Amino acid sequence: MSLLDVFRVSNIKAEMESSKAECESLRKALAELGGMEYFAVRQAVEQLAQTQRSLQAQVERLNSEIAAKQSELVQMDDEITLQSFGFYKPQYELRDSEEYRAKLDEIRAAQSAIVKAGTAASCPKSWTVNGSTKEGARMVKEYVQLIVRSFNNECDASIVGVKFHNIESIRNRIQKAFETLNKLGRTMEIRLSERYLRLKISELDLCYGYQVKKQEEREEQKRIREQMREEAKLAREIEEAKARIYKERRHFLKALEDVSKQLGAASSDEDKAALEAKRTEIAAQLSEIDRAEQDVLHREQNTRAGYVYVISNVGSFGENVYKIGVTRRLDPTERVDELGDASVPFDFDVHAMVFSEDCPALELALHRAFADRRLNLVDSRKEFFRVTMGEIEDAVKRNFNKTVEFTKVSEAAEFRESLALREKRIAAVDTNSSLAVS
């Protein structure tokens, strides 16, 4: 409803109220009058009643016009449509963006074909201009081109901005443009074809589907790059661990050789006993190095071994929100430290680190257990869930047969310290304000 319509209705209603008051006043006066005065007042009452009926008719007509305009309105305001959009059902289920692109080219080629064939809009009636059928045909052709071009411009301007929250509004806008232009062409019987409308709607659905698929592909490429970075870091860690083990083994083998030589040259039982103890200690350290080497080789060969971690960030996401992820890094805390970089205001707290020979399977089992608790139901890469620590413990026990140690309370040190500092500053400001007033 425009402001002008509002003012018009408001003014008419005010006039009606004034007319009613005058009628009532005149009716009261009738009871006290007679003769010619009675007929004069009676005539004035009839005129006022007629004016009131006319004003009432105007109000009803304006209300009808307002209702018609509101029913034709296509809402394109992003903030309003964001509050009310529903789940969009894809009209095409194509494999990748290239298939969407090919289908989009096909639809646009079909549009061009029917425009060239002259079937995008029709004008069944022959017209003459100044007695000339040739001039009439040219006029009709120009009007048809004008209507088709106007429809194309409206569709193109709308489709280029299609997003999840406005696709239905754009669909309605295209439909409304189709109906409006057909009304404008009604006098000359020019009408856009239903097939041309369907092709434009198909173009809208394909453009949106293409955008969605491109975004999915970008997310998949991002996931692959992240996985490659993780694999590269793991490979570097393994090579560094191998080099460290090799260096340590050489060191202890040299020490063992030296002790053995000293033992061969020792003469007293006391010296021999001390050297034997030293050799036993070095042998134990070599055995520990052998076990570490086996672990590193096992992690290198078993590409599914790694850690499933459970972490939280109360300051960033609130209570009972946990990230359940996986890392194959030799030191899983490095991965947690990376997640707590400058993109979040506080560090993550670690609640569990579960080493598994098949960590992807364990992670998948936990994600499935809490599938309905995901914060982001669209992007599965966002591994945050609104659950309790007790529920996570139960799920781990159901899917993992080894003992796991959980830290149930979130330390959230930086967050809690920040709260304390903020309260201290507020208290200081209040104190200073009180002193200033006094």
Side-chain angles (χ1 to χ4, degrees):
M1 181 189 300
S2 67
L3 288 175
L4 179 60
D5 291 334
V6 174
F7 289 138
R8 288 169 65 190
V9 172
S10 177
N11 290 336
I12 290 172
K13 287 183 177 179
E15 290 182 32
M16 289 174 62
E17 292 299 323
S18 176
S19 176
K20 288 180 181 178
E22 289 186 44
C23 284
E24 185 62 27
S25 176
L26 289 170
R27 285 194 181 96
K28 290 180 180 179
L30 281 174
E32 303 174 0
L33 297 176
M36 294 302 292
E37 292 179 336
Y38 172 83
F39 289 108
V41 173
R42 182 63 179 268
Q43 186 176 7
V45 169
E46 290 298 329
Q47 289 177 349
L48 286 171
Q50 185 177 357
T51 300
Q52 183 178 346
R53 287 192 294 271
S54 176
L55 291 171
Q56 182 64 39
Q58 290 183 50
V59 169
E60 292 176 356
R61 179 177 56 80
L62 285 171
N63 284 335
S64 298
E65 291 178 6
I66 290 167
K69 289 178 180 180
Q70 288 177 334
S71 66
E72 294 176 357
L73 179 65
V74 177
Q75 181 56 262
M76 293 300 292
D77 187 278
D78 286 351
E79 292 184 1
I80 294 176
T81 53
L82 274 172
Q83 297 174 8
S84 59
F85 67 74
F87 184 77
Y88 171 75
K89 183 179 180 181
Q91 303 300 309
Y92 296 88
E93 294 292 346
L94 304 180
R95 289 179 301 179
D96 53 38
S97 61
E98 288 303 315
E99 287 194 4
Y100 271 98
R101 188 71 186 177
K103 187 68 175 177
L104 194 54
D105 290 342
E106 179 185 325
I107 291 294
R108 287 170 174 166
Q111 292 177 24
S112 298
I114 65 174
V115 169
K116 290 178 181 178
T119 56
S122 61
C123 182
K125 186 176 180 180
S126 298
W127 291 83
T128 59
V129 175
N130 297 325
S132 170
T133 56
K134 184 176 180 181
E135 287 295 318
R138 188 176 70 176
M139 180 192 71
V140 168
K141 182 179 179 181
E142 289 174 351
Y143 269 87
V144 168
Q145 289 176 343
L146 179 62
I147 286 179
V148 172
R149 185 174 300 170
S150 298
F151 186 57
N152 287 341
N153 290 340
E154 182 69 23
C155 292
D156 293 344
S158 302
I159 291 173
V160 72
V162 64
K163 294 181 178 63
F164 177 80
H165 65 268
N166 65 8
I167 183 170
E168 292 304 328
S169 294
I170 292 176
R171 192 189 310 278
N172 293 336
R173 185 172 176 176
I174 291 173
Q175 180 68 41
K176 181 59 185 173
F178 175 81
E179 294 169 358
T180 300
L181 288 169
N182 280 344
K183 286 180 182 178
L184 292 174
R186 187 164 49 196
T187 301
M188 296 184 64
E189 298 183 20
I190 298 173
R191 181 173 179 80
L192 291 162
S193 71
E194 293 288 338
R195 185 189 174 199
Y196 198 54
L197 171 64
R198 290 195 299 271
L199 287 172
K200 288 297 184 183
I201 295 297
S202 295
E203 181 182 359
L204 170 66
D205 290 324
L206 284 166
C207 279
Y208 176 70
Y210 175 75
Q211 289 185 16
V212 171
K213 192 60 69 173
K214 286 291 288 185
Q215 181 61 30
E216 289 176 357
E217 290 170 353
R218 283 193 290 268
E219 290 296 331
E220 178 61 16
Q221 289 297 318
K222 184 177 178 181
R223 185 194 67 79
I224 292 172
R225 288 195 299 270
E226 183 177 343
Q227 182 178 345
M228 291 174 64
R229 285 195 296 269
E230 281 292 294
E231 294 296 334
K233 289 177 181 177
L234 174 62
R236 285 198 300 271
E237 288 180 359
I238 288 175
E239 291 304 317
E240 289 170 0
K242 284 181 177 180
R244 185 176 62 253
I245 289 170
Y246 175 75
K247 184 177 180 180
E248 290 177 354
R249 176 178 282 113
R250 288 187 61 186
H251 169 75
F252 285 110
L253 285 174
K254 181 66 170 62
L256 183 60
E257 181 181 351
D258 292 341
V259 168
S260 297
K261 289 179 179 179
Q262 293 173 19
L263 186 60
S267 56
S268 67
D269 292 339
E270 185 178 349
D271 290 342
K272 289 180 179 180
L275 291 169
E276 281 290 352
K278 183 75 172 179
R279 187 165 67 172
T280 301
E281 181 184 345
I282 294 173
Q285 290 172 326
L286 282 170
S287 296
E288 188 64 32
I289 289 174
D290 289 339
R291 282 193 294 272
E293 184 180 40
Q294 290 302 314
D295 289 342
V296 170
L297 292 174
H298 175 70
R299 292 291 299 278
E300 183 180 31
Q301 295 167 3
N302 184 3
T303 58
R304 298 186 68 83
Y307 293 88
V308 173
Y309 56 81
V310 179
I311 58 178
S312 70
N313 196 319
V314 175
S316 301
F317 309 113
E319 298 283 355
N320 292 330
V321 174
Y322 297 93
K323 177 175 173 59
I324 303 174
V326 67
T327 180
R328 294 190 58 240
R329 306 273 281 276
L330 296 180
D331 184 359
T333 59
E334 290 185 1
R335 175 57 177 160
V336 177
D337 292 340
E338 290 172 357
L339 292 170
D341 61 10
S343 61
V344 289
F346 304 101
D347 292 335
F348 281 90
D349 287 315
V350 178
H351 295 272
M353 279 290 178
V354 185
F355 180 80
S356 171
E357 296 293 340
D358 193 352
C359 59
L362 177 58
E363 180 197 38
L364 180 60
L366 296 179
H367 286 183
R368 285 177 175 172
F370 305 123
D372 59 336
R373 312 286 193 88
R374 279 185 177 273
L375 267 64
N376 189 330
L377 296 175
V378 177
D379 188 353
S380 61
R381 293 178 61 252
K382 306 296 191 295
E383 305 164 328
F384 290 89
F385 303 84
R386 189 176 297 281
V387 293
T388 65
M389 182 52 59
E391 290 173 316
I392 295 176
E393 285 188 73
D394 291 340
V396 171
K397 290 176 182 177
R398 288 195 304 270
N399 294 279
F400 192 69
N401 58 6
K402 295 181 181 178
T403 302
V404 178
E405 182 179 348
F406 284 88
T407 302
K408 297 184 179 181
V409 179
S410 300
E411 183 180 0
E414 290 182 343
F415 171 61
R416 302 189 198 284
E417 288 176 14
S418 297
L419 287 180
L421 287 171
R422 186 170 290 107
E423 291 175 0
K424 184 177 179 180
R425 289 174 182 175
I426 292 172
V429 170
D430 292 340
T431 301
N432 291 335
S433 298
S434 299
L435 291 173
V437 170
S438 60

